C-alpha cells in the first residue's frame, strides 16, 4: 500500500508497553512517565486483529518494541499469535537485552525471527549511568544468548552521545571483527530529557566512520545484513565477520524511503516518529468497525519528513519549536 508520496508501507512497529526497566537518559525521565492504565492498552488479541486487518493491505514485516517489550508478561504468546497471521513474513523485536539471556530460546521457539539489541556502553558502571538503573547486565552475554538461540542477523544499536560514550566507538567496532554481529551507531535525537541538551551532543556518522577507519584501516562497503527494514548504511572492517552501520536521523535524511508506521501501546497508528500524525485504531476496533478506511486515511496524511529535521537548519533554538 502506498502513502501520499508514493512510499510503499509494509512495516509496522508495534509498541506493546510504555513501561521499561531502564530509564535511558535520552529516552525517559528518571521518575518514569504517567504509565497508561491497563484498560487503555491493547490486548494481544487486539494487536493481532489489527495486524490481521492490515496484512491484506500489504503489511509484511513487524517489530515488537516499547518501552521494553520483554517486561510485558508472556510476550512470546503475542509473537506466536502474530506468526500465525497470513502474509506476515518477518517478526523482529527491539530490546535493551536485560531479560534476553532468560528469554531468547523461548522467543525463538514462539516464532520470532530477529532481535535488535540496544547497547550504549560495554562498561558496567557506564551502562548503569546511562540507563539510570543498575541491573548487573552484560550486553555481550545478552548478544551471545541471542546468537545461541538462533537469531540471525543480530543487530546491536548504539546511541552515541558526545562526551558520554563516544570514547567506546572503537570498542564497539572491534566486536564486529570477532562476531558476526551488526553494530549500528545511531545519531542521538534531541527529544525527551535530551531535548535540553545541545546539538553538539550529536556525533555525526561521518565522524564515527572516520574514527573507525583510522583505527582499523579503510572500511569496505557492504550490503549489510540480508534481512532488515531500515535506513542503515553498512561498511565492514577488512576480514571482519560482522558489519558496521550508521543510522543518521540528524545529518542525512532518509524520510524519502520511509516504509514504516507505528502502533502505540494504546492503539494509535502513528505515521511518523515525530509530529502529531496519528489515528486512533483502538476505539473503532473495540466498536467492531473495519480498520481499512482509517489506515488509508492515516497513510494519506503521512508527512514527507520528520519535524526534527528542522533542527538541521534551525539549530538549537528550534528544539523548543518541536515541543521538546
Ligand atoms: N526498550 C527497547 C530498546 O531499548 O531497544 C525498545 C524501545 S527503544 C525506545 C527503541 C530504540 O530507540 C532504542 O534503540 C533506543 O536506543 C532508541 N532511542 C530512544 N531514544 C532515542 C533518542 N533520543 N535518540 C536516538 N535513539 C533513541
Ligand atoms: Fe527507552 Fe529502550 Fe532505554 Fe527503555 S531501554 S528507557 S525504552 S531506550
Amino acid at each position: 500500500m502506498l502513502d501520499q508520496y508514493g512510499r510503499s508501507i509494509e512495516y509496522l512497529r508495534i509498541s506493546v508497553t510504555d513501561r521499561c526497566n531502564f530509564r535511558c537518559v535520552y529516552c525517559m525521565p528518571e521518575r518514569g512517565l504517567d504509565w497508561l492504565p491497563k484498560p487503555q492498552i491493547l490486548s494481544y488479541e487486539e494487536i493481532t486483529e489489527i495486524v490481521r486487518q492490515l496484512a491484506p493491505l500489504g503489511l509484511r514485516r513487524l517489530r515488537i518494541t516499547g518501552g521494553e517489550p520483554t517486561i510485558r508478561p508472556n510476550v512470546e504468546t503475542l509473537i506466536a499469535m502474530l506468526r500465525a497471521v497470513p502474509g506476515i513474513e518477518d517478526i523482529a523485536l527491539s530490546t535493551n537485552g536485560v531479560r534476553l539471556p532468560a528469554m531468547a530460546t523461548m522467543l525463538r521457539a514462539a516464532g520470532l525471527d530477529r532481535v535488535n539489541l540496544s547497547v550504549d556502553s560495554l562498561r558496567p558502571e557506564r551502562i548503569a549511568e546511562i540507563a539510570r538503573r543498575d541491573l548487573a547486565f552484560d550486553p555481550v552475554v545478552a548478544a551471545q544468548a541471542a546468537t545461541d538461540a538462533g537469531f540471525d542477523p543480530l543487530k546491536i544499536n548504539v546511541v552515541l552521545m558526545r562526551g558520554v560514550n563516544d570514547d567506546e566507538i572503537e570498542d564497539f567496532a572491534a566486536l564486529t571483527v570477532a562476531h558476526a554481529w551488526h553494530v549500528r551507531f545511531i545519531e542521538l535525537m534531541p527529544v525527551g530529557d535530551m531535548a535540553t541538551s545541545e546539538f553538539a551532543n550529536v556525533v555525526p556518522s561521518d565522524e564515527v566512520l572516520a574514527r573507525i577507519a583510522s583505527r582499523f584501516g579503510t572500511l569496505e562497503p557492504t550490503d549489510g545484513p540480508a534481512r532488515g527494514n531500515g535506513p542503515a548504511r553498512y561498511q565492514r572492517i577488512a576480514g571482519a565477520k560482522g558489519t558496521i552501520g550508521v543510522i543518521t536521523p540528524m545529518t542525512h535524511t532518509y524520510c524519502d524511503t520511509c516504509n514504516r508506521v507505528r502502533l502505540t501501546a494504546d492503539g494509535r497508528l502513528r505515521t511518523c516518529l515525530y509530529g502529531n500524525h496519528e489515528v486512533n485504531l483502538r476505539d473503532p476496533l473495540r466498536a467492531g468497525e473495519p480498520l481499512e478506511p482509517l489506515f488509508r486515511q492515516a497513510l494519506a496524511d503521512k508527512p514527507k519528513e520528520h519535524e526534527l529535521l528542522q533542527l538541521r537548519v534551525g539549530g538549537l533554538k528550534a528544539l523548543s519549536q518541536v515541543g521538546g
Side-chain angles (χ1 to χ4, degrees):
M1 178 146 182
L2 302 182
D3 77 354
Q4 61 170 331
Y5 297 103
R7 295 170 294 196
S8 174
I9 306 300
E10 50 194 39
Y11 174 42
L12 178 67
R13 295 176 66 102
I14 302 171
S15 172
V16 294
T17 180
D18 55 340
R19 294 169 193 243
C20 190
N21 45 359
F22 275 4
R23 295 286 183 276
C24 299
V25 289
Y26 49 73
C27 180
M28 263 190 209
E30 184 151 25
R31 65 185 180 284
L33 298 163
D34 294 331
W35 308 123
L36 290 166
K38 212 171 165 200
Q40 292 189 20
I41 293 183
L42 294 178
S43 68
Y44 290 163
E45 287 72 18
E46 288 172 332
I47 293 172
T48 307
E49 180 54 27
I50 289 173
V51 169
R52 194 175 288 126
Q53 292 200 35
L54 300 190
L57 305 177
L59 184 61
R60 292 289 168 266
R61 300 193 300 268
L62 306 175
R63 174 171 299 280
I64 313 301
T65 176
E68 175 50 43
T70 59
I71 67 168
R72 182 155 171 186
N74 309 318
V75 71
E76 68 281 3
T77 307
L78 173 67
I79 288 161
M81 290 163 76
L82 295 173
R83 180 82 277 166
V85 176
I88 297 304
E89 295 165 1
D90 184 56
I91 307 178
L93 175 124
S94 289
T95 176
N96 59 29
V98 171
R99 305 188 75 172
L100 209 48
M103 294 178 68
T105 305
M106 180 173 65
L107 292 169
R108 182 78 184 130
L112 187 66
D113 295 298
R114 295 184 297 118
V115 165
N116 282 16
L117 201 53
S118 302
V119 182
D120 299 326
S121 173
L122 299 171
R123 304 178 192 175
E125 61 299 336
R126 188 177 281 174
I127 295 172
E129 250 166 60
I130 296 173
R132 295 186 292 204
R133 289 286 185 275
D134 191 356
L135 301 179
F137 155 65
D138 183 340
V140 175
V141 170
Q144 193 58 51
T147 302
D148 292 346
F151 292 114
D152 180 43
L154 179 73
K155 298 178 189 167
I156 298 177
N157 291 337
V158 186
V159 175
L160 286 176
M161 292 162 276
R162 194 182 295 286
V164 176
N165 63 349
D166 59 331
D167 56 345
E168 292 188 62
I169 290 173
E170 291 84 355
D171 295 345
F172 276 108
L175 283 180
T176 69
V177 176
H179 303 275
W181 296 342
H182 305 279
V183 170
R184 293 129 40 102
F185 296 99
I186 304 179
E187 290 173 348
L188 173 72
M189 293 181 277
V191 293
D193 272 11
M194 292 303 272
T196 50
S197 71
E198 308 232 348
F199 196 70
N201 284 93
V202 176
V203 186
S205 59
D206 296 348
E207 177 186 328
V208 174
L209 293 172
R211 275 176 56 176
I212 296 171
S214 89
R215 166 74 72 87
F216 296 95
T218 308
L219 299 174
E220 303 164 351
T222 162
D223 289 341
R227 282 187 296 171
N229 304 305
R233 294 175 292 131
Y234 291 94
Q235 313 214 25
R236 185 190 292 276
I237 295 171
K241 292 183 177 164
T243 66
I244 290 163
V246 289
I247 300 181
T248 58
M250 301 309 293
T251 61
H252 299 82
T253 171
Y254 43 74
C255 295
D256 56 337
T257 56
C258 182
N259 59 354
R260 61 196 55 196
V261 291
R262 294 175 160 80
L263 183 65
T264 64
D266 59 346
R268 289 171 288 130
L269 187 73
R270 290 180 67 89
T271 53
C272 183
L273 181 52
Y274 297 106
N276 290 321
H277 302 266
E278 63 180 36
V279 173
N280 175 345
L281 294 185
R282 182 194 62 202
D283 296 342
L285 176 72
R286 289 183 179 174
E289 294 165 18
L291 302 179
E292 180 182 342
L294 297 168
F295 191 55
R296 291 191 186 283
Q297 176 201 329
L299 291 196
D301 288 344
K302 183 170 163 65
K304 194 157 186 263
E305 60 181 24
H306 67 71
E307 292 169 11
L308 283 180
L309 290 174
Q310 293 158 7
L311 292 170
R312 290 183 305 143
V313 188
L316 185 61
K317 193 162 157 271
L319 280 169
S320 60
Q321 294 166 346
V322 295

